[in-house]
Amino acid sequence: MLAIPLDNEFDASISELFGQAPYFGLLNLDDGELTVVKNEVMGEGPKSANFLRSFGVDSAVYYHMGEGVYNSFVDNKMDVYTTEHTKMSLNEIHEKYLKKKLSKVDNSNYKEKLDPGNGGACQCGCEG
């Protein structure tokens, strides 16, 4: 299952700030079914991996994400993908994932791919 940050529960496109998103879309990659959940750890980005794991999520996609949030996903052995600062619809994300066209973030590229947004200032305090 792929977690996608959303600005509201009816949104059809990715939110720009992962840890500040009030909702997550949980996309079942097998059948395309989307379940929306309220982000109970909003503003506490590094806690989002554990929160999402409790719903069976094993991967996430972001527009902006800081290193502390990313590290929490790595610690939970979850995959992380980026839209490369491209606002995408949920359908576009699903299609790109299935075609292996979403950029995967890993130890070899995370320094270049991560960007917490807000002019580079993480708002959750995870990066000091």
Side-chain angles (χ1 to χ4, degrees), residues 27-40:
L27 181 63
N28 183 319
L29 296 166
D30 294 327
D31 63 15
E33 185 177 329
L34 182 76
T35 303
V36 177
V37 297
K38 184 176 170 75
N39 181 0
E40 299 293 338

Side-chain angles (χ1 to χ4, degrees), residues 37-107:
V37 297
K38 184 176 170 75
N39 181 0
E40 299 293 338
V41 294
M42 188 174 118
E44 301 175 88
K47 293 182 178 181
S48 59
N50 283 332
F51 172 72
L52 292 166
R53 174 67 82 191
S54 73
F55 292 96
V57 169
D58 57 12
S59 56
V61 63
Y62 71 88
Y63 185 100
H64 284 119
M65 180 183 278
E67 191 169 342
V69 178
Y70 170 74
N71 287 332
S72 72
F73 279 87
V74 170
D75 291 346
N76 277 280
K77 300 187 180 5
M78 298 165 81
D79 292 330
V80 177
Y81 299 88
T82 177
T83 64
E84 304 277 356
H85 294 115
T86 302
K87 193 78 166 172
M88 289 186 193
S89 72
L90 301 179
N91 286 337
E92 287 174 296
I93 290 169
H94 190 205
E95 285 178 27
K96 285 184 180 281
Y97 181 89
L98 292 175
K99 293 177 181 177
K100 300 188 185 312
K101 297 210 181 234
L102 277 181
S103 181
K104 187 172 182 181
V105 182
D106 59 30
N107 284 338

Side-chain angles (χ1 to χ4, degrees), residues 6-7 15 17-23 39 42-45 118 123-124:
L6 303 174
D7 287 324
S15 173
L17 297 175
F18 192 91
Q20 296 293 327
Y23 295 91
N39 181 0
M42 188 174 118
E44 301 175 88
N118 297 312
Q123 291 188 338
C124 71

